[in-house]
Amino acid sequence: MAMPSPGPSVRATGADVANAPRNRGELPSYAELINYPRSTRDKHAVRCVMCGLGQDSCVVPRQNKGVCKTCDVTIWRHCPSGCIMKFCKGCKKFLNIDLFGEKTDAAKCERCRERGRKSYIMRKRRERVEDSPAPSAPTTSRRGRGDAHASRDAAPPGGGLARGGVPRGVAQA
């Protein structure tokens, strides 16, 4: 069970979210949003900055800025400002709920989801290029100049044969 919140933020209800003003505005600073002070460097004294539970009751990932796994998916209402907010796992900060777009249950805001889509597309393109067969090594022409002059030194159309299938330059009998 979560400890009573001594701070300025409470879990938002469905009515809070439905009646919240839609303003992609800025939220107060992180220190003004959290309910409990962030833990010191002592690993055993880590507790969630929102619900106050310690590591014996919940999991507080190190990359989550002190927010436990339960609270990082919760929608919060900042009482003094009335802002509705949620923790974005991409930005690693609390953001106005409007920045999550239509997917208020998503773990990341629209901007982070878009960045993830672009990264995925680029990774797939790189994989496709790596999986395609390697281009053949450049051929060297008779004069040793490489591909740049190979077309000039290549045999003429017809394979270099004169009429009748006799190689050019060979006298016909």
Side-chain angles (χ1 to χ4, degrees):
M1 192 62 148
M3 299 170 65
S5 173
S9 299
V10 295
R11 292 179 196 271
T13 64
D16 288 336
V17 176
N19 298 327
R22 298 293 174 214
N23 62 359
R24 298 179 173 248
E26 292 293 317
L27 292 174
S29 70
Y30 177 79
E32 295 175 63
L33 295 175
I34 62 175
N35 294 325
Y36 297 90
R38 197 154 177 206
S39 299
T40 59
R41 296 173 192 238
D42 183 11
K43 291 180 186 178
H44 303 291
V46 173
R47 67 178 184 172
C48 177
V49 296
M50 297 307 283
C51 67
L53 294 176
Q55 283 192 318
D56 55 336
S57 303
C58 65
V59 178
V60 183
R62 296 185 84 154
Q63 69 271 19
N64 263 18
K65 286 189 157 181
V67 182
C68 75
K69 284 189 167 191
T70 302
C71 294
D72 69 5
V73 296
T74 302
I75 297 175
W76 296 89
R77 179 172 49 91
H78 183 249
C79 294
S81 69
C83 290
I84 305 296
M85 62 188 179
K86 186 174 177 189
F87 189 79
C88 174
K89 292 182 182 180
C91 298
K92 307 289 186 216
K93 61 183 179 180
F94 284 100
L95 298 173
N96 190 308
I97 193 71
D98 291 334
L99 296 175
F100 286 82
E102 295 295 317
K103 295 187 172 189
T104 57
D105 59 337
K108 296 178 182 177
C109 66
E110 285 181 326
R111 194 173 128 236
C112 290
R113 290 195 312 266
E114 179 61 28
R115 188 176 66 223
R117 278 191 289 274
K118 287 180 181 176
S119 175
Y120 175 80
I121 290 168
M122 294 304 294
R123 185 172 65 244
K124 288 298 178 184
R125 284 182 184 161
R126 279 193 304 268
E127 288 174 3
R128 216 176 317 138
V129 168
E130 290 171 0
D131 290 345
S132 65
S136 59
T139 57
T140 306
S141 69
R142 287 179 278 149
R143 296 183 185 158
R145 289 182 289 211
D147 277 342
H149 302 284
S151 63
R152 189 174 70 196
D153 296 334
L161 300 176
R163 289 185 194 198
V166 179
R168 291 178 200 252
V170 175
Q172 290 183 341

